[in-house]
Amino acid sequence: MSQPFSKTIEDDFIDEEDIIAKFQYLENVTERYPYRPLSNSAAYSFSDRVGNAMTKLPEEHKRAALALFANTIYIPDPILDEAWREATYSIRKKLNGKSTVNFLDSLYLAVDNDGLINIFSGVANIEGREDHNLNPGFNSVSGIINELFTLIESKKQSPDLQKIITMMKKKNWIILSDNSISGGSLASDIKKLMKIRSILYPKGETAPFLQKDTQPPQIYAVVQLITEQALLTLDEVLPKTNIAYGLEFDEGMRISSGRCSLFNKDSTREAVRKLCEWFGNNFFLDQHNPNFRARIREHVQKGGQDNYAFGWKNCGYTIVTQNNALSNSVPVIYHRPPSVEGVSSDENRGAAYEPPFPRIESRIYHEISPDSSRLGIIEEWKNIDYLQTCLYRNK
Amino acid sequence: MIEIGINDLISELSKKIVFVSSVNYERRSLESLKTINKIILNNSVNRQFHIYRLRVDNKDRRISILEAKAKSHEEEYDNYEARLKARIAKEGSETKIKDTKKTFTLDDLPGKDNIRSQLIESNDAKEPFSIVFDITALPRRVILLMMDVFVNFLEKSEAKNLFITYTWPGRYPFAGRSTNTGALFVENVKRRLPEFLDGVDEIQSIVTAGRDGSISRLFLESMPGNANTDTFFYIKKDDYLFGLNSILENANVLSFVDSNSRTRMNYFLSVSRGYELIISKVKETLEVWGKEHNNLKRALLIAPFGPKPMMITAYIAERYSRLFSLKNSLDCRSGIVHVSSIQQNDLYSIGYKNTSCYRISLDDLLGRKL
């Protein structure tokens, strides 16, 4: 096993990149707000985590790895919680007293995480989550699509529309996302929700259960962590005034961006990029894991590099929340290469590398969501007509 | 203290505006001109501006290179203002700009009445005016003095509202030397901290960590065993790396909090949220103390080491505490803590970013809902 911290890492480099101060902070913050332990130990300090990872990296990349790990953006739970409160504060300001963020006026939907509404309402102190007359309990845009699709499939004479009616009485439809890094998933959900709104609120008509001239609900996005990149993507679907967020990360925090300002020296940034490329070439090209192959295929289809060097969609962040490393961060930080069956441990390139912040993948099987095809069916004229006839009986 | 956009500011301003700002050696100190320009460009109302421009000198420690920079910025300000006036004249607008320049010495500040009379000497209009206070380049001690003057205007309904503007630095210098020297000092009563806390039975202290890490730790270590302390870290919601630098400076505050059960860690991501958290904490503490009928002597301390708009929060919180204690016969002294002296080691800030504008809640500032 090689030494974790090479003797050839010069004093000037450590000084120029402010390595010691960054290590000291990460030591302190991870001790107070720990990330989950590594697989082979109950408790590891930040230095131990980094040291453990460094022993498995080639000598020529150790300097870069040190700079990369020192620039991990570790977000502990108290900052994450405050980000929700900040986002809530921000959305309250946007609503300007005309409506409230509680479940009476607002419908909450979550992107990719059903538990988010529970977490958000708790941290942001928003009452009424379990009042079924207030909260129809869809939890996600998929939930609404599923409900509409089921209605259409059954095409009953007198369908149970209570949940849809409850939803339609809200002044605000608020989509929650714990992180919007590339902006893709959130933008996609917003577009779907807009389609649903246009179906449920035909122009010039008011449903009998709504007060006359009731306006269709406003769609808002409330995001815990967002990026400049995501804000640009969202700009195409939702006005800025309808987006509230807690914490924004700019382009300067992307290793893959020309504006990266994480490092003090350009030469360090280039060295870190080379490390990421080396890691990608070694552990993602010729991927054995079929599920990961599917993931990389999808990533490449969306414009990402085939070696996955900078993470999902080449985002290249170094963000690790106390709960999990983000897939949009560089994999050197979080990816534990799986061992390959039938290959000796010496030959098994990936088996030994233990990243400082191993990630738990939220998706293993990259199945295609039925949302788009179902929404396509809902959008067929005969189905729109059925839904609108049910909701607007006096049509 | 709610952050508002420039359009909201313009719509809430009176016809007459007292604009108080300062130009110094920092480049960002010139940015207040842009705010004035934006207000004038929106010419739906002919305004009367009284620009009260302060220059604050440190008579004992003049550094020629900083003086030259400040002089050059003064000239730039003058030229810009002359162009602004020429443009207004050319357009035939009835907007008027009056400029008063004053130079103070930090160790020998003028009295409140003196400033008050200078600010209203041309107030021929009977309607209440608006105050826009740009704190970007002003020392904390001068901010406190000016706030006292503004409160006087607001209490007498001579002024209608108060807005704070602040231009964020592009970055802070790399040098990394501490600018804060001397002892911890309670600014509003001009006493050293230990002297202020002498004989106090119960303390609630609040500290917002700034760019200089040593001072927050010094404050925490200076708190006696009967103090409950809330430590606040600011992470700018759209500039994480800016906030991270301050956190790196204050890394050992985290270890202090770990070893001290009476110290709590808090974060805020916008000045408005920080204000809300701190004012709520102060109100909640005072309510509890007010309900406990005992003869304990209390102290409420606020140490706004950063960012600078938190000085305004501290001013409002301290004043609120004073008014509450008076009304409820609570034996509570309140103080705003800073260091007794600073040492100039660098340019203080390099470049500039955006200018934020905050609307001040008069209910909180004047204690209207006590």
Side-chain angles (χ1 to χ4, degrees), chain A residues 326-343:
Chain A
L326 301 191
S327 62
N328 310 74
S329 291
V330 292
V332 191
I333 290 178
Y334 64 80
H335 182 67
R336 184 190 285 135
S339 51
V340 183
E341 279 179 35
V343 178

Side-chain angles (χ1 to χ4, degrees), chain B residues 290-310:
Chain B
K291 282 177 190 157
E292 291 173 3
H293 300 286
N294 52 34
N295 295 321
L296 293 181
K297 289 185 192 309
R298 263 87 175 222
L300 184 91
L301 283 173
I302 303 164
F305 299 141
K308 202 182 247 183
M310 298 322 283

Side-chain angles (χ1 to χ4, degrees), chain B residues 341-361:
Chain B
S341 123
I342 61 157
Q343 170 177 296
Q344 278 169 327
N345 294 318
D346 50 40
L347 290 166
Y348 196 81
S349 72
I350 316 285
Y352 60 89
K353 284 191 176 157
N354 61 308
T355 299
S356 296
C357 177
Y358 305 98
R359 181 201 298 124
I360 298 300
S361 156

Side-chain angles (χ1 to χ4, degrees), chain B residues 293-350:
Chain B
H293 300 286
N294 52 34
N295 295 321
L296 293 181
K297 289 185 192 309
R298 263 87 175 222
L300 184 91
L301 283 173
I302 303 164
F305 299 141
K308 202 182 247 183
M310 298 322 283
M311 193 67 189
I312 303 294
T313 301
Y315 179 90
I316 295 171
E318 190 280 325
R319 191 168 189 281
Y320 186 92
S321 168
R322 214 164 356 108
L323 295 173
F324 182 96
S325 302
L326 197 66
K327 190 181 174 198
N328 295 282
S329 306
L330 187 67
D331 188 355
C332 173
R333 60 189 77 164
S334 47
I336 300 172
V337 179
H338 209 65
V339 282
S340 56
S341 123
I342 61 157
Q343 170 177 296
Q344 278 169 327
N345 294 318
D346 50 40
L347 290 166
Y348 196 81
S349 72
I350 316 285

Side-chain angles (χ1 to χ4, degrees), chain A residues 264-322:
Chain A
N264 293 330
K265 302 275 279 186
D266 290 349
S267 54
T268 308
R269 187 187 62 207
E270 288 314 309
V272 171
R273 284 181 180 163
K274 278 183 187 156
L275 162 68
C276 295
E277 295 280 1
W278 171 84
F279 192 85
N281 291 340
N282 273 273
F283 299 129
F284 290 104
L285 290 180
D286 307 324
Q287 180 61 242
H288 295 284
N289 183 328
N291 293 316
F292 231 98
R293 273 213 302 271
R295 179 174 179 76
I296 292 174
R297 199 162 45 240
E298 193 184 339
H299 153 85
V300 171
Q301 278 166 2
K302 291 181 175 174
Q305 285 184 207
D306 57 1
N307 66 358
Y308 207 69
F310 299 102
W312 183 246
K313 285 179 158 181
N314 292 1
C315 284
Y317 293 94
T318 60
I319 303 167
V320 175
T321 71
Q322 194 177 337

Side-chain angles (χ1 to χ4, degrees), chain A residues 95-120:
Chain A
L95 297 178
N96 200 18
K98 289 173 188 154
S99 61
T100 68
V101 295
N102 66 25
F103 284 88
L104 183 68
D105 281 348
S106 303
L107 169 79
Y108 285 96
L109 304 161
V111 178
D112 289 342
N113 182 351
D114 285 355
L116 216 53
I117 298 170
N118 191 9
I119 296 166
F120 173 77

